[in-house]
């Protein structure tokens, strides 16, 4: 790996380590590109405060901190500042305006919730309801149609336990849309190294059949993730076993 675009900070309430530690470990591992994409603030209209993302007030300091370090380390590594964000249509424009105002480099889509973080469905919960899977695919495909996302983080997060044929049909639809729009699908290293249900073999068999682009994302919540050569080798072996050759780096779409 020479690039990772999926890196968190303690502002998301479930990561550790300073930005400097992530950057220095990335350099130590030979990365040429490191993108920070901590969980985005969301401009909730009812004042809801999330327990898994930075607040709107914290976001400017996050952007400025990463930009200062990017300049400090520019001779050693290219550092970008971005966000991992859900696509919530009614408030998405507010997030995009913030990103443009503060010079955020990119967004990756991590669709953890449907409709609402406060009262909607968490997509990682086991579920055999076909309507939930269809809504997940509809949300993701609508989100990438905006052109504002650079890739889809853990696209296999929707933990559908129902009819296998229906799962493959719906995920084929997602993969086809991603391929059409040139949006890579992330093979998530954190999920692989911690034994989660993703990255999903059945999902990436579908992605390989469609011929969609893929990229490995560390999903780093600890600076040590960026020097974990065993985890990197494991997720590379996973990709290789399915005949997948992940991209070394991606194009960052304008928000």
């Amino acid at each position: 790996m020479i690039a990772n675009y999926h890196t968190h900070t303690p502002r998301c309430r479930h990561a550790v380590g300073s930005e400097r530690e992530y950057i220095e470990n990335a350099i130590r591992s030979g990365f040429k590109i490191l993108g920070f994409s901590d969980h985005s603030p969301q401009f909730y209209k009812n004042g809801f405060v999330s327990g898994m993302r930075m607040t709107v007030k914290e976001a400017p300091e996050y952007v400025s901190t990463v930009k200062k370090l990017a300049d400090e380390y520019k001779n050693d590594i290219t550092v970008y500042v971005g966000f991992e964000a859900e696509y919530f249509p009614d408030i998405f424009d507010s997030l995009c305006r913030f990103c443009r105002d503060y010079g955020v480099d990119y967004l990756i889509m991590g669709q953890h919730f449907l409709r609402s973080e406060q009262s909607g469905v968490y997509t990682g919960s086991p579920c055999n309801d076909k309507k939930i899977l269809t809504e997940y695919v509809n949300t993701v495909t609508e989100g990438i149609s905006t052109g504002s996302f650079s890739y889809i983080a853990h696209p296999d997060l929707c933990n559908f336990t129902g009819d296998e044929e229906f799962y493959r049909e719906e995920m084929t639809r997602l993969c086809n849309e991603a391929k059409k729009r040139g949006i890579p699908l992330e093979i998530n290293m954190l999920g692989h190294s911690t034994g989660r249900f993703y990255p999903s073999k059945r999902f990436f068999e579908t992605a390989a059949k469609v011929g969609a682009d893929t990229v490995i994302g560390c999903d780093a919540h600890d600076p040590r993730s960026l020097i974990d050569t065993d985890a990197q080798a494991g997720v590379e072996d996973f990709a290789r076993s399915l005949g997948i050759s992940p991209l070394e780096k991606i194009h960052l779409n304008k928000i």
Side-chain angles (χ1 to χ4, degrees):
M1 290 180 66
I2 64 167
N4 172 56
Y5 301 90
H6 196 168
T7 312
H8 292 272
T9 78
R11 296 174 189 80
C12 70
R13 318 291 190 254
H14 56 278
V16 298
S18 69
E19 293 86 354
R20 187 179 299 278
E21 289 175 300
Y22 284 101
I23 292 170
E24 292 186 349
N25 275 2
I27 294 169
R28 190 172 297 121
S29 283
F31 284 87
K32 305 300 181 186
I33 298 170
L34 181 67
F36 283 89
S37 52
D38 206 2
H39 291 288
S40 72
Q42 290 288 6
F43 294 78
Y44 297 114
K45 295 177 181 179
N46 62 359
F48 172 71
V49 177
S50 170
M52 60 160 282
R53 63 182 70 250
M54 71 182 72
T55 65
V56 172
K57 290 183 179 179
E58 291 174 307
E61 186 269 338
Y62 161 73
V63 175
S64 65
T65 296
V66 175
K67 283 183 172 291
K68 287 176 183 176
L69 289 168
D71 185 63
E72 180 180 339
Y73 285 92
K74 64 184 178 182
N75 293 326
D76 302 305
I77 190 170
T78 299
V79 176
Y80 294 112
V81 60
F83 288 117
E84 178 184 1
E86 273 86 6
Y87 175 65
F88 297 141
D90 60 331
I91 56 175
F92 187 64
D93 285 347
S94 296
L95 174 61
C96 290
R97 281 196 298 272
F98 173 89
C99 291
R100 290 191 289 267
D101 288 346
Y102 283 88
V104 173
D105 296 311
Y106 69 104
L107 293 175
I108 61 175
M109 175 187 278
Q111 198 68 37
H112 302 84
F113 298 94
L114 299 177
R115 298 185 296 278
S116 166
E117 179 183 351
Q118 186 175 9
S119 59
V121 175
Y122 173 62
T123 61
S125 296
C127 176
N128 61 10
D129 188 340
K130 290 182 178 180
K131 292 180 180 178
I132 296 299
L133 178 59
T134 295
E135 184 177 358
Y136 174 78
V137 174
N138 289 346
T139 301
V140 170
T141 54
E142 182 181 336
I144 63 175
S145 75
T146 66
S148 294
F149 291 100
S150 294
Y151 81 57
I152 305 172
H154 39 62
D156 42 354
L157 179 64
C158 190
N159 193 6
F160 183 73
T161 58
D163 183 73
E164 184 70 16
E165 183 178 353
F166 184 77
Y167 176 86
R168 291 183 182 270
E169 287 175 357
E170 286 294 83
M171 289 311 197
T172 296
R173 185 161 66 90
L174 187 156
C175 292
N176 274 323
E177 191 68 16
K179 179 181 179 181
K180 182 178 79 172
R181 297 187 180 280
I183 303 295
L185 306 169
E186 180 198 70
I187 305 174
N188 189 275
M189 192 175 88
L190 176 65
H192 187 274
S193 63
T194 56
R196 301 181 184 183
F197 64 89
Y198 62 89
S200 162
K201 181 180 177 182
R202 61 178 180 167
F203 177 88
F204 282 101
E205 284 175 342
T206 302
K209 185 176 181 179
V210 166
D213 285 334
T214 62
V215 62
I216 293 173
C218 292
D219 198 356
H221 287 72
D222 186 312
R224 291 174 294 182
S225 301
L226 299 176
I227 54 172
D228 189 342
T229 55
D230 289 340
Q232 289 185 28
V235 77
E236 288 167 355
D237 286 345
F238 171 83
R240 193 177 300 112
S241 73
L242 299 175
I244 292 172
S245 298
L247 300 173
E248 286 191 335
K249 57 184 180 178
I250 65 168
H251 172 75
L252 299 182
N253 290 339
K254 186 176 180 180
I255 300 170

